[in-house]
Amino acid sequence: VLHLDVDSAVFDKTPWWPEPLRVTAASGQVKLNYDPLTLDLGLLQAEVNGTDLSLSGTAALTPLGWSFDGQGRVPSVDTQTVLTLWPEMLSAKSRRWFGQNVRKGTLKNLSFDLRQAAGTAAVLASSFQFEEAEVKFMRHMPVISEGLGYGVLERDEFILALEAGYVQAAEGGRLDMDGSTMRVPNARVPDPPVIFDLKGRGSVPTLMSLMDNKPFQISTKTKLGIDDVSGQAQLAVQIETHLKDELTSSDMSYALTGRLRDLRSELLVPGHIFTAELLQLTGTPDLIEISGAGRVSDIPFEGRWSQPLGAPNLTSQVTAKIEEVTLTGRVSEKVKMPIFVAALDIENRQLSRTQFAVTGQGGVFNLTLPPVIYGKKGDGSKARLVAGFVLTPAQLAANRADYRQKLGLGE
């Protein structure tokens, strides 16, 4: 049995660590057996590169080579020191991603288990918690700040889960990202696939600002301004890509779903106020769609807006449920006719009104008005749609009784 007490030591050259290991205040004991040759490390406690570390394990020499089983615990360590303790050849891709993208933070309750059977590759399992972390989860996206969560590496699968944290958009504000995860199903394969399941909550301008970064560039492709619409957004994005240095659009796919609440815009429909309590958002690299019910200048609608994203300057499409309203009349010659459409409540009070002009060719005509659907009011009654010609004061005075009767307003 060997009793170890080391005040200070530096290991300049080791096969696993690229930088020197500085060990201080080390104490422990090793039991050595010769037939067969085995080493039993009961418990070694030390300060390695300024970090408290405890180790235990066994090793044995077999005809095929060394086999070992070791465990380690670290109460607390900053993310930069982690790389000096993480062997280069163990989960090398995950190690490199960690070094490039975890900018700062502290790991707590770090545990690891390193095993190797003679003649096989070493296997590393680890778990940890992290706090106050800054993580760059995508190349063209802002970092996640003040990250709080945990990580697990087991059977070549690496998972990083975020319990709290946010990204700061260039415009708009913060998007909370709690509930987001990163998963590498097999960290051993070259350029391993990685799946990001990202959750976000924040204002619509914040979302629009973030989604204008690559690979999405939704605001640029749809020609929508960051501040064109106000409201709140909740979304989920699943991104599938690879852990490698150079990525192309073909290396990445994503699917986006979300809910947009309490929306308002005076720019989305020029000359009108657009509002909606709840709209559904979906998106892929080829298409983004927004659907649901809302109001334009207090006129209810229900429909779907879709925008292809495969290339710049593609035309968007709007579809809506249609309630046809036909206006019948007669004109003696080709003339431009001012027409109005209005929605009335149960007491015949005007809820909204739209006015436009059409040109008649002469004779009897049946005019089908633009597609608009009028939803139910809060009391459950349906707004009534009426239409007619816009009359001059003289026309109105001469035809008032007939006009009100045709509109169903009574006397």
Side-chain angles (χ1 to χ4, degrees), residues 8 21-22 58 74 132 141 157 167 171 200 208 292 301 304 323 344 362 370 372 381 395 401 406:
S8 178
L21 290 182
R22 294 174 174 82
T58 60
V74 177
E132 298 180 355
M141 284 289 183
E157 182 181 44
V167 292
E171 300 179 54
M208 293 295 289
F301 73 89
R304 180 183 304 273
E323 180 178 296
L344 307 180
V372 182
S381 61
Q395 290 172 322
K406 289 182 177 178

Side-chain angles (χ1 to χ4, degrees), residues 8 40 148 216 375:
S8 178
D40 186 351
L148 174 71
F216 309 104

Side-chain angles (χ1 to χ4, degrees), residues 308-330:
L309 299 176
N313 303 319
L314 295 178
T315 303
S316 63
Q317 182 178 7
V318 177
T319 58
K321 291 184 179 179
I322 297 175
E323 180 178 296
E324 291 186 349
V325 180
T326 301
L327 185 64
T328 301
R330 177 190 293 272

Side-chain angles (χ1 to χ4, degrees), residues 17 45 61 112 186 221 223 259 299 391 398:
W17 291 277
Q45 293 179 312
L61 181 61
F112 55 90
N186 188 348
K221 292 177 180 178
K223 297 183 179 180
R259 293 184 176 185
I299 299 177
L391 304 179

Side-chain angles (χ1 to χ4, degrees), residues 331-386:
V331 291
S332 58
E333 59 184 8
K334 183 176 181 179
V335 63
K336 180 174 288 188
M337 300 174 291
I339 302 295
F340 78 91
V341 181
L344 307 180
D345 66 13
I346 194 171
E347 297 180 357
N348 293 326
R349 292 175 298 198
Q350 182 171 284
L351 299 172
S352 57
R353 177 186 175 101
T354 301
Q355 185 170 315
F356 53 94
V358 297
T359 300
Q361 298 297 323
V364 178
F365 65 87
N366 289 298
L367 177 64
T368 299
L369 298 179
V372 182
I373 185 165
Y374 287 80
K376 293 183 178 180
K377 302 193 308 169
D379 59 7
S381 61
K382 189 175 183 180
R384 186 159 55 97
L385 181 64
V386 296

Side-chain angles (χ1 to χ4, degrees), residues 217-237:
Q217 296 184 297
I218 289 177
S219 298
T220 298
K221 292 177 180 178
T222 59
K223 297 183 179 180
L224 293 176
I226 301 299
D227 297 320
D228 282 1
V229 183
S230 64
Q232 295 297 309
Q234 183 173 355
L235 76 157
V237 188

Side-chain angles (χ1 to χ4, degrees), residues 78-107:
D78 68 81
T79 55
Q80 298 306 308
T81 303
V82 167
L83 291 177
T84 69
L85 303 176
W86 188 334
E88 279 191 307
M89 69 285 296
L90 293 178
S91 302
K93 289 288 185 178
S94 296
R95 183 186 188 280
R96 186 169 66 176
W97 184 91
F98 190 95
Q100 292 174 343
N101 295 283
V102 180
R103 306 291 178 85
K104 58 180 268 189
T106 302
L107 302 190

Side-chain angles (χ1 to χ4, degrees), residues 279-293:
L279 295 179
Q280 303 294 330
L281 169 66
T282 61
T284 66
D286 299 319
L287 181 70
I288 184 171
E289 290 188 339
I290 299 176
S291 61

